[in-house]
Amino acid sequence: MTLDRVLVAVGPTDDDRVEPLAETTTDIAGAVGASVTLAHVFTEGEYETARDRLGGEPGDEVTADSVARRHATIRALGDALDDAGVDYEVAGRVGEHGESIVALADEVDADLAVVGGRQRSPTGKAVFGSTAQTVLLSAPCPVTFVRSDH
């Protein structure tokens, strides 16, 4: 299997996982010269809030991609990838987190997806669902899970 494209999915609670996500991504993508897509998926509410917070000038085009580019976690990951010499692009999407990440992995023809998460009880997964679990079970490519130590 060749590794040309790595999708790194970042969510609203991944600010505490920037360092391990960056290290994992640079270790994998940097070693083989793969390109990276940094992806941030917003629910409708998250997107509206972020878009309103960012403001802008009348007539500015405000897309999910442009909002994602300005997200602090994406910027921090981008800085780490720049420092490591890893090429990347940013993609933003609005929708259900897990399903949108899976669709984006397919869209960018990802050879590997990287997702972060935290340990949850079986009951917590059953009641609240799990973005990482959806991606792990449905992605069109292998998935690397980066666990939070918190």
Side-chain angles (χ1 to χ4, degrees):
M1 172 177 106
T2 61
L3 189 64
D4 296 321
R5 170 72 56 188
V6 176
L7 174 73
V8 180
V10 178
T13 61
D14 282 329
D15 55 334
D16 64 338
R17 282 186 279 278
V18 169
E19 188 174 323
L21 283 168
E23 287 176 8
T24 298
T25 303
T26 57
D27 286 351
I28 294 169
V32 297
S35 295
V36 173
T37 299
L38 297 177
H40 193 294
V41 177
F42 304 90
T43 63
E44 281 288 338
E46 291 165 347
Y47 177 67
E48 293 298 323
T49 300
R51 198 175 71 186
D52 291 346
R53 226 178 325 136
L54 292 173
E57 299 298 317
D60 282 353
E61 183 179 2
V62 181
T63 64
D65 288 346
S66 65
V67 173
R69 274 189 218 89
R70 296 175 70 184
H71 194 276
T73 305
I74 292 287
R75 287 195 329 260
L77 278 168
D79 289 346
L81 294 180
D82 282 337
D83 290 347
V86 175
D87 292 331
Y88 70 94
E89 60 186 31
V90 175
R93 295 295 182 272
V94 178
E96 191 280 321
H97 292 125
E99 292 173 8
S100 296
I101 294 165
V102 169
L104 190 54
D106 192 42
E107 181 183 319
V108 302
D109 199 22
D111 299 304
L112 176 72
V114 177
V115 296
R118 59 181 168 26
Q119 193 170 11
R120 295 170 72 171
S121 70
T123 303
K125 289 179 200 165
V127 173
F128 301 111
S130 170
T131 298
Q133 184 174 350
T134 298
V135 176
L136 285 163
L137 295 175
S138 303
C141 59
V143 178
T144 296
F145 179 78
V146 178
R147 188 183 68 183
S148 174
D149 292 331
H150 303 293

